[in-house]
Amino acid sequence: MSTILFFLPLLLVFAVLAIYGERKISAFIQNRYGPMETGYYGLLQTVADLLKLLQKEDIVPRVASKALFLVAPFVIFVAVFAGFSVVPVLPTWQGASINTGVFFLLAIVSLDVIGIIIAGWASNNKYSLLGAVRSASQIISYEVPLTLSVVCVLVVTQSLDLQVISFQQGVLSNSYFADAENYLFGLSFANVNTTEIGGVLTWNILRAPVLIPVWIIFFITTLAESNRAPFDLPEAESELVSGFHTEYSGFRWAIIMLSEYGMMLLTSLLGVILFFGSWNTPFPNIGSIKLASWTTGEVGSMASVFWAVLWLLIKTIIMVFIQMWIRWTYPRVRLDQLMSLGWKYLTPAALVLLFFSALWRLMMV
Amino acid sequence: MTEVTFYFFGILTLASAIFILITKNVLHAALSLVVTLLSVAALYVFTNAEFLAVTQIMIYVGGIVVLIVFGVMLTNDVSGKTIISGSVNRLSGTIITLTVLVMLIYSGQELTPIATKVHNTASIENLGEHLMTTYLLPFEIAALLLLIALVAASIIAGHDLQSKIS
């Protein structure tokens, strides 16, 4: 219930490190150094930027709709941060244990569109409004394939609770479900039982390999959901200054950036939980070499806490790294390409994959 | 504690709904509608209808209100003029509203609360099973209705486009 004590500090630390990481990764990809002056190897650059941001004047444009302008960044942040409330951290420490876990997460996160629209409209600026309209249309369009790809996973896991989904994907599945059986690739007729082997073999992508293409759709749509390149049309710098947050400064701008990085973290966490084994170890038990059990620990012990947080964060950070890698590798798509990709390719593909996931589920029982 | 939260959301629902009526700025009204729908969703949670509450957020707040706001913004003049909505038919509107209100209060006393009748064990599984068995016909009819609306919308939207091309 109290996972906010974990996620709030995590988000703040993550944002500081991720901005530094983003600069260094982009610099590496573009063959430059990136920040080098502040601190050893530029490590304190983000901290310095943050201190500068907090001292800045909080400017409100004279013709802006004042109350809405002031409240909009917080609407965005609250919508994104509320999504963390159902995310599990440890086998013994989960968020709100509600029946509708993932569904709630998708619903509450979709509210950040309203914050973006308010921000763009209240700024009373052409660039902001265009950015907000683009952002809203993009997020609404990509919500369809995103939800469908999540449904593909739910068909396989048969549960909406993220903690239950986590337990299914590792050696601990027996401690949660008395008669849980995992088979290699989910093919129960081949009768290769992997329940005790665990590790990467019981992650959802290998429990049902049909989820590998589903993950690709999921990943593309989460990029679009968090408004990042190649889908960063809402804040396309070369066309719209910086989109819906053009008029923001200081602390409120920092909150908007924090929400963007929060969205990256949340979608990465969700991807890890749904497809890559959540807090489960990647190492399988091989005969007497119990790698999986060693790197999981007894439930409730300090070792188990250490391993679970370690695996969850490592996998999440790898996902975030891939997001950044793609951002600095691919050029921005055009608006019509964006829409046709979402509606004409991803949505039908997700529907077809949903059908195959259901078929695969039949083989798993 | 539960009662305090219940009344908090009840008052929030009423206050934001009244604000929709009073305000003349269409966008403010649309945003107030967001608050109304969210607090109604919170009230659903009190009746153990968790799935309904999340669906309300997903469809009404995340979908329909966003489309309304979208429509308002696209018809809005970017240069700063806002659309002002007037109020018409005040007398007949008041009469109808009061009649419905009286009817709801009257019939509300006759009804027994739904929450005591429904079994809430593993509600999602139950819901899915019942949708596919007991309530299959209404479910399919609703799906058909949505499909018709979808096809009709794309025909209306594409109609002009077709005549321009040819």
Side-chain angles (χ1 to χ4, degrees):
Chain A
M1 292 291 272
S2 50
T3 45
I4 186 174
L5 298 178
F6 176 75
F7 281 120
L8 194 58
L10 175 73
L11 180 56
L12 297 175
V13 173
F14 169 79
V16 171
L17 292 180
I19 291 171
Y20 174 75
E22 179 120 47
R23 288 173 157 182
K24 279 295 183 191
I25 290 167
S26 70
F28 174 70
I29 288 173
Q30 295 168 348
N31 216 354
R32 328 178 251 116
Y33 281 124
M36 290 298 277
E37 298 291 329
T38 329
Y40 177 71
Y41 212 66
L43 267 171
L44 291 176
Q45 184 65 50
T46 326
V47 179
D49 283 348
L50 214 63
L51 287 176
K52 184 194 78 173
L53 262 181
L54 292 179
Q55 294 172 52
K56 275 193 171 182
E57 188 190 346
D58 190 14
I59 301 168
V60 181
R62 190 151 31 92
V63 285
S65 176
K66 195 170 180 209
L68 291 179
F69 183 86
L70 293 180
V71 89
F74 300 102
V75 175
I76 303 177
F77 180 73
V78 166
V80 172
F81 193 65
F84 283 98
S85 60
V86 291
V87 176
V89 189
L90 301 175
T92 49
W93 195 23
Q94 66 179 114
S97 152
I98 55 175
N99 268 323
T100 44
V102 192
F103 190 38
F104 171 81
L105 194 154
L106 292 176
I108 205 85
V109 164
S110 72
L111 296 189
D112 80 329
V113 181
I114 291 174
I116 290 174
I117 290 179
I118 298 175
W121 186 84
S123 302
N124 204 351
N125 172 324
K126 283 181 185 125
Y127 297 121
S128 299
L129 188 64
L130 278 173
V133 170
R134 280 187 182 188
S135 171
S137 60
Q138 170 178 332
I139 290 179
I140 292 173
S141 309
Y142 276 75
E143 229 154 58
V144 179
L146 173 66
T147 311
L148 282 172
S149 64
V150 172
V151 169
C152 289
V153 182
L154 299 182
V155 164
V156 170
T157 59
Q158 302 278 300
S159 171
L160 270 74
D161 192 332
L162 287 171
Q163 184 73 322
V164 175
I165 294 174
S166 306
F167 265 110
Q168 285 176 350
Q169 305 178 58
V171 281
L172 295 177
S173 56
N174 269 331
S175 69
Y176 199 80
F177 311 96
D179 54 347
E181 297 281 350
N182 275 324
Y183 295 101
L184 186 64
F185 303 141
L187 304 171
S188 57
F189 58 83
N191 215 9
V192 186
N193 196 323
T194 55
T195 317
E196 294 301 320
I197 299 175
V200 68
L201 294 176
T202 48
W203 291 4
N204 269 340
I205 47 160
L206 289 185
R207 271 177 87 212
V210 67
L211 292 181
I212 295 172
V214 172
W215 176 72
I216 294 172
I217 293 179
F218 175 86
F219 187 72
I220 295 174
T221 50
T222 53
L223 280 181
E225 284 285 308
S226 40
N227 283 337
R228 288 177 61 82
F231 305 106
D232 64 341
L233 292 136
E235 45 194 278
E237 290 93 344
S238 45
E239 307 160 24
L240 293 179
V241 191
S242 58
F244 67 89
H245 53 73
T246 304
E247 297 287 355
Y248 283 91
S249 65
F251 184 65
R252 284 171 212 281
W253 185 82
I255 291 282
I256 290 177
M257 280 327 260
L258 187 64
S259 318
E260 189 186 317
Y261 280 86
M263 192 71 171
M264 280 172 73
L265 183 66
L266 182 64
T267 54
S268 301
L269 269 171
L270 187 63
V272 165
I273 291 168
L274 290 179
F275 296 92
F276 294 99
S278 191
W279 33 254
N280 284 300
T281 168
F283 301 118
N285 281 330
I286 307 163
S288 58
I289 308 171
K290 302 270 183 214
L291 280 175
S293 306
W294 294 338
T295 52
T296 303
E298 289 290 311
V299 176
S301 66
M302 280 311 287
S304 137
V305 172
F306 168 76
W307 287 116
V309 171
L310 182 78
W311 294 129
L312 189 67
L313 288 186
I314 284 184
K315 290 181 215 170
T316 308
I317 287 167
I318 290 174
M319 288 294 133
V320 171
F321 171 73
I322 297 176
Q323 285 189 344
M324 291 178 179
W325 184 9
I326 285 183
R327 168 169 179 178
W328 296 101
T329 307
Y330 288 103
R332 185 180 302 137
V333 295
R334 237 173 28 224
L335 196 64
D336 60 319
Q337 293 170 333
L338 177 93
M339 286 298 158
S340 66
L341 177 68
W343 287 109
K344 291 183 186 164
Y345 297 96
L346 294 182
T347 307
L351 280 171
V352 171
L353 285 168
L354 178 59
F355 177 69
F356 283 117
S357 305
L359 283 185
W360 208 283
R361 174 68 205 174
L362 289 181
M363 287 194 282
M364 288 171 74
V365 288
Chain B
M1 187 61 204
T2 317
E3 273 192 2
V4 173
T5 6
F6 178 79
Y7 283 112
F8 172 75
F9 282 115
I11 291 168
L12 199 62
T13 313
L14 286 178
S16 53
I18 290 169
F19 183 77
I20 298 175
L21 282 180
I22 294 171
T23 183
K24 292 207 184 289
N25 187 325
V26 181
L27 196 82
H28 289 176
L31 295 175
S32 185
L33 187 62
V34 173
V35 179
T36 314
L37 292 171
L38 278 179
S39 26
V40 171
L43 291 180
Y44 284 149
V45 175
F46 283 99
T47 59
N48 283 327
E50 185 189 306
F51 186 80
L52 189 63
V54 180
T55 313
Q56 160 109 349
I57 296 177
M58 186 94 172
I59 294 173
Y60 280 94
V61 188
I64 290 175
V65 174
V66 170
L67 282 183
I68 293 175
V69 174
F70 227 70
V72 173
M73 284 201 319
L74 288 179
T75 47
N76 209 351
D77 200 6
V78 183
S79 65
K81 260 185 277 170
T82 48
I83 325 171
I84 301 298
S85 68
S87 42
V88 286
N89 297 336
R90 287 184 198 189
L91 184 68
S92 49
T94 318
I95 293 171
I96 293 173
T97 317
L98 285 178
T99 326
V100 173
L101 185 69
V102 168
M103 197 181 77
L104 279 178
I105 290 173
Y106 178 73
S107 58
Q109 287 166 341
E110 308 280 307
L111 294 174
T112 45
I114 297 175
T116 55
K117 285 185 193 167
V118 181
H119 304 289
N120 282 303
T121 46
S123 62
I124 303 266
E125 284 90 339
N126 265 343
L127 195 74
E129 242 177 74
H130 282 298
L131 274 183
M132 280 296 146
T133 52
T134 324
Y135 304 107
L136 185 61
L137 188 66
F139 181 69
E140 291 294 335
I141 290 174
L144 197 66
L145 189 73
L146 287 176
L147 184 68
I148 293 170
L150 201 68
V151 172
S154 51
I155 285 177
I156 292 173
H159 185 68
D160 276 356
L161 215 65
Q162 278 295 322
S163 54
K164 263 179 210 160
I165 292 167
S166 57

